[in-house]
Amino acid sequence: ALHEGHVVSAQELTVLLQPVFTQNSRNLILFLQDTLSVDDFTYLSESYGNKNPFQNEILQSSPSSLVLPAVDCEATRYLLSFLQESGDWKLTNITNLDVSQLEVNTSEPNFLVIQLQPLVSQLTEFVKLYMFLFIDKIIGRLTMDLQEQGIHFSVIYTAVRPSRIPRRTDVVGELRRQLMATEEEDSLSYPPLNVTTGNDICILFYASNFSLKANSSVFIDLTNATFVTQNVDISSSECSDINTTLSLKYTKPVNGISSLEIRFLMTNKFYGGSARNWSSLDAVEIVQDGEKFAKFNVSAISAPAEYSFHCQLVGTSNLYPARLIPSNNEAKNWDVFISRLQIQGFNVENNQFSYASDCTSFFTPGIWMGLVTSIVLLWILAYGIHVIMQLTTNSRFDDPKGPALSVPQTE
């Protein structure tokens, strides 16, 4: 069946995935990426000749296949939890990308979840091509290892959200900045989490993806529990004019963890250099089962006290513009991934975010390159004008009707 030109809803996706649950093998592999779109397949496959990153034989050799070019973000966001609830699976998270030593009991249904490497949105198309080539090799190697073990399985390759936002045709005449702002607002499918004191909101928190990974093996997606179902306890949060703490408590977020608390510690201080108050996120703490305490120091998360803070990527990875740096040994066992973070802990007005101070500085590498090039060209122009201004004309001229002009060497 062809599904081009149609966005598959969550209800339609559950119907389309029913054969996965009724097959005889009952082994399911989910390759989950942070961002992916059908344009990544078509553009990267056609623009770089023989460097096609989607050439592994698993799709061609399978007896049946299903390609869904466009799936609703709501459906993919809850796909992992939906698959877990759809059967009595034995869940296995694979992060070392090596299943040669993995023992799969084929007498019971198995659900293997492989978290692929995140794709940074600022990557160029050429670098993204090689990222997909690496991901394609991972998929091919893992599936071949399972085939060599004689294990029959089904594979799902998808992502949490799209990597490319299509341009809307009904606002073509508007400015590009207005268009991008409209698309960002449309993608907000749920309101931010808020903490109230009395009748006033003192903390606002939003993220399009909020997930953790414990001990490099247990993946915990907290996006749905935090913002959609709001199955989170925020009663321990504290608000004041100087210190604010956002406390998020979860009960049994995954198997093996009975309780999980995440704290965001924010302060509001006056700085004489700028003659104004600045709010900053100083630390992030994770408490597992009331015993294991992990603390992260935070870099580059601050904003004027009247503003909110926004950043596209926040986490423990070195590639992210805003990093969470482990400050104790327990923190080294955790990986944090937060995308499109926006948080405000002070001066919340009208129960909504204030103007956002972004983690990306105003002077990007492209701007610096343009400024340096312009300065070099202006220097060459100024030097040329200076040289031209030093040229002088002769003070004496030869008259063909008179005697020859004699100019002494001293002149």
Side-chain angles (χ1 to χ4, degrees), residues 46-116:
E46 297 173 357
S47 301
Y48 295 94
N50 59 350
K51 293 185 182 301
N52 186 351
F54 309 103
Q55 289 182 338
N56 66 72
E57 301 177 355
I58 186 66
L59 185 61
Q60 290 78 8
S61 61
S62 62
S64 63
S65 62
L66 174 65
V67 178
L68 303 176
V71 180
D72 187 17
C73 292
E74 290 290 327
T76 56
R77 185 177 293 115
Y78 312 133
L79 178 62
L80 182 59
S81 59
F82 165 72
L83 293 175
Q84 290 176 332
E85 297 171 357
S86 299
D88 188 17
W89 302 99
K90 178 186 177 183
L91 178 63
T92 304
N93 287 280
I94 300 177
T95 56
N96 57 5
L97 305 179
D98 183 12
V99 296
S100 58
Q101 305 298 326
L102 180 64
E103 297 181 359
V104 179
N105 185 6
T106 56
S107 62
E108 59 181 358
N110 296 278
F111 183 24
L112 309 179
V113 180
I114 294 93
Q115 296 288 336
L116 298 173

Side-chain angles (χ1 to χ4, degrees), residues 27-44:
N27 293 309
L28 178 61
I29 306 176
L30 174 64
F31 291 98
L32 191 60
Q33 205 164 286
D34 60 338
T35 60
L36 185 68
S37 294
V38 68
D39 293 340
D40 295 326
F41 291 84
T42 57
Y43 180 79
L44 296 176

